[in-house]
Amino acid sequence: MPATPLALTQGDPAGIGPELTLRAWLERHERALPAFACIADPDHLAAVAGRLGWSVPLGVCDWGDAGAAFAEMLPVIPLASGAGRAIPGKPDPATAGGTIGSIDRAVAAVRAGEAAAVVTNPIAKSVLYQAGFKHPGHTEYLAHLAAQGGIAPRPVMMLWCEELAVVPVTIHEPLRRVPELLTTALIVETGRIVAAELRSRFGVARPRLAISGLNPHAGENGTMGHEDEAIVAPAIAQLQAEGIDARGPYPADTMFHARARAGYDAALAMYHDQALIPIKTIAFDEGVNVTLGLPFIRTSPDHGTAFDIAGQGIARPDSLCAALKLAARMAERNLADTAS
């Protein structure tokens, strides 16, 4: 495990993030979790634990003490966020400053070497927008924080579980817009980032990328659309010319069964549901959202704030626990590379 703790953000304090954080700590031994510290309002965490009847000792501390404290108490990096007024299941724009501040401090801690990686609890973009948040989403804000010289890196979203890693080339876009947004350059850039990070952060010496077609049957030689011949195939050829083991375009409906998955390390899909349906079918509770392309490690549970069940103590921490464990694994890989 990394010598330094992971930085866990509070997420939206009215969502399930606080109770997932508490449950993860309670189950830390049986799940063999790495040390983490939550950047949050300690009074709010205590109130959530009290309402649920959970005995979770909280230790307000700084980063230097968090790793040692984790075995006996949940380390909390205090955040004066106003989260104490948050009511489970009732999102409030007044808490947006704390939600954003928690992200800011997590990134700052990792970049200063005080924390090993960023793990983010779910946020609600609509709540942040009401408070004046100007970024399209969580990932774009992280890229903004990572900007150097005014230039932000291009983040790439990977959904990961032990059985599958998949990347949507276009993400939160209406289906009717995907053909106009999809370009050879976009696929090539995405493939480069995925291949580089599989090598550097996942330890895959020669990454194998399987790339889906856009249309049914990957266009079936142009009878179901020409995008696969005109856009996707040239991207694969360019990646191959750069020495990347990229293959396809494959029909998406035959890419995700067990025998097919054995032939690649990551799949690139052309749009959101083409990527997320298979991984949520395979690992609905354990999937992890990994952001590639940033100068620091970021993982997150592959689910939202679940306001409808917040405060009931029934939310499962599986995805958060998987995100914590994957972040620690990636950080350990970074340490090994640095040492060598």
Side-chain angles (χ1 to χ4, degrees):
M1 292 185 183
T4 49
L6 306 173
L8 177 62
T9 67
Q10 72 167 14
D12 191 302
I16 60 173
E19 62 197 84
L20 294 181
T21 298
L22 296 167
R23 278 196 66 182
W25 186 84
L26 285 170
E27 298 176 14
R28 65 199 182 284
H29 295 309
E30 62 196 81
R31 292 180 180 266
L33 294 183
F36 62 86
C38 185
I39 306 167
D41 180 339
D43 292 337
H44 179 62
L45 281 177
V48 171
R51 281 194 297 268
L52 294 171
W54 295 348
S55 178
V56 181
L58 303 177
V60 175
C61 61
D62 58 27
W63 291 108
D65 300 324
F70 182 77
E72 302 299 328
M73 61 187 67
L74 172 58
V76 181
I77 309 298
L79 188 69
S81 64
R85 64 178 286 177
I87 300 172
K90 298 185 180 298
D92 184 350
T95 65
T99 301
I100 297 167
S102 181
I103 300 168
D104 293 344
R105 291 185 64 180
V107 171
V110 172
R111 303 201 78 175
E114 296 173 316
V118 175
V119 181
T120 58
N121 265 309
I123 65 171
K125 293 181 289 185
S126 60
V127 177
L128 301 186
Y129 293 157
Q130 293 177 60
F133 188 67
K134 301 298 184 184
H135 299 271
H138 212 159
T139 300
E140 291 83 0
Y141 185 59
L142 289 164
H144 163 74
L145 295 177
Q148 295 185 349
I151 300 175
R154 160 122 193 282
V156 168
M157 182 172 78
M158 171 186 281
L159 289 307
W160 178 94
C161 67
E162 292 289 354
E163 297 84 5
L164 173 65
V166 62
V167 173
V169 175
T170 64
I171 306 176
H172 297 114
E173 302 292 347
L175 193 56
R176 60 181 171 78
R177 290 201 64 211
V178 170
E180 65 188 69
L181 295 172
L182 196 64
T183 65
T184 296
L186 178 62
I187 299 168
V188 169
E189 183 183 21
T190 303
R192 287 173 182 153
I193 292 170
V194 173
E197 299 238 351
L198 285 174
R199 284 191 295 268
S200 64
R201 290 187 169 163
F202 289 82
V204 181
R206 182 169 170 75
R208 301 164 299 165
L209 306 183
I211 300 180
S212 79
L214 172 67
N215 297 298
H217 301 178
E220 202 164 292
N221 297 319
T223 61
M224 295 188 187
H226 296 284
E227 291 88 354
D228 297 299
E229 293 176 315
I231 297 172
V232 183
I236 295 168
Q238 184 171 337
L239 289 168
Q240 291 171 341
E242 295 177 10
I244 295 172
D245 185 355
R247 307 168 192 176
Y250 295 125
D253 63 352
T254 61
M255 281 181 60
F256 298 106
H257 60 85
R259 191 167 65 253
R261 296 197 307 269
Y264 57 80
D265 300 297
L268 271 63
M270 296 302 106
Y271 57 90
H272 182 277
D273 285 9
Q274 201 180 53
L276 271 70
I277 287 173
I279 194 162
K280 291 199 173 188
T281 300
I282 293 168
F284 185 78
D285 292 311
E286 300 84 17
V288 178
N289 185 340
V290 187
T291 305
L292 309 180
L294 300 176
F296 50 84
I297 296 163
R298 182 263 180 140
T299 67
S300 180
D302 184 23
H303 58 67
T305 51
F307 291 126
D308 58 325
I309 62 169
Q312 299 178 42
I314 61 174
R316 294 180 56 159
D318 305 63
S319 187
L320 174 59
C321 292
L324 289 163
K325 293 176 83 167
L326 179 60
R329 184 191 304 183
M330 295 169 71
E332 189 175 6
R333 174 75 194 178
N334 270 7
L335 286 174
D337 286 346
T338 301
S340 63

